[in-house]
Structures are given as C-alpha cells and as structure tokens.
Amino acid sequence: MELLVEELINLIGGKVGIYAEKLSTGNKYIYNSQDIFASASVIKVPILYLLYEHFFAKKFNPKDFVNYSETDIVDDSPFFESLPANKGKCSLYDV
C-alpha cells in the first residue's frame, strides 16, 4: 500500500503530506510529516467533501459558476491566475 501511495505521489508531483490513522487499530501512515503546509491546503479537504456531497445530492451543478474578486486571491494562488478568460468567475468543477 505504501509503495502505491508513493507511486501516485510521484505521478502527481508537487508538495504532498499525508497523515492517516485507522482509529480502530491505531495504525498510521505518515508521509512528509516534517514539511510545513499552509493552512489553505488543509482547509480544501472539508470544503471539497461538502461540495461533492452537494453535487451528488443535486443541490449544485459542477457547471455552475461562482464569482470571486481580487480580495479572494491570496499569495500562491496559481489557479486563479490561470483563468484570464473568465476573470472574476469560475465553475464549481474548476474549484
């Protein structure tokens, strides 16, 4: 399992850190625990979870657009910088 995870990480590239614990056994998998990650990376997990729940419940459509402004963009936001054609809005799918 660990080799598969590391192979996937190598395919993805970028900076990756993982901490997983099976609560019933206490078994842990830790990858790059010494690295420091900005909290912006961590907050994406529960937001995306909720977004996908809404997609499957048909409350949102992935093709729907959301608006954003300059104040929503923080340092190291290459995603927003890569959307010049849709300046000010992006699809929920792209989020």
Side-chain angles (χ1 to χ4, degrees):
M1 177 68 144
E2 292 160 0
L3 288 175
L4 175 62
V5 170
E6 291 179 16
E7 284 180 27
L8 290 171
I9 290 169
N10 289 332
L11 285 173
I12 294 169
K15 188 175 179 182
V16 176
I18 300 172
Y19 178 92
E21 181 176 349
K22 187 171 184 179
L23 298 177
S24 61
T25 64
N27 290 343
K28 298 175 185 174
Y29 177 77
I30 302 169
Y31 182 87
N32 278 350
S33 64
Q34 73 284 357
D35 288 357
I36 297 173
F37 294 86
S39 63
S41 295
V42 175
I43 193 65
K44 293 173 191 170
V45 174
I47 291 171
L48 288 175
Y49 175 81
L50 185 61
L51 187 60
Y52 275 94
E53 270 194 348
H54 282 60
F55 287 163
F56 288 113
K58 307 287 188 213
K59 292 181 181 178
F60 295 148
N61 184 322
K63 295 179 182 177
D64 291 342
F65 281 85
V66 292
N67 295 317
Y68 65 90
S69 68
E70 296 271 337
T71 58
D72 296 319
I73 300 172
V74 296
D75 290 341
D76 195 24
S77 294
F79 168 76
F80 289 109
E81 294 167 5
S82 68
L83 294 172
N86 293 327
K87 195 73 172 160
K89 70 178 186 175
C90 63
S91 74
L92 290 172
Y93 177 82
D94 289 332
V95 170

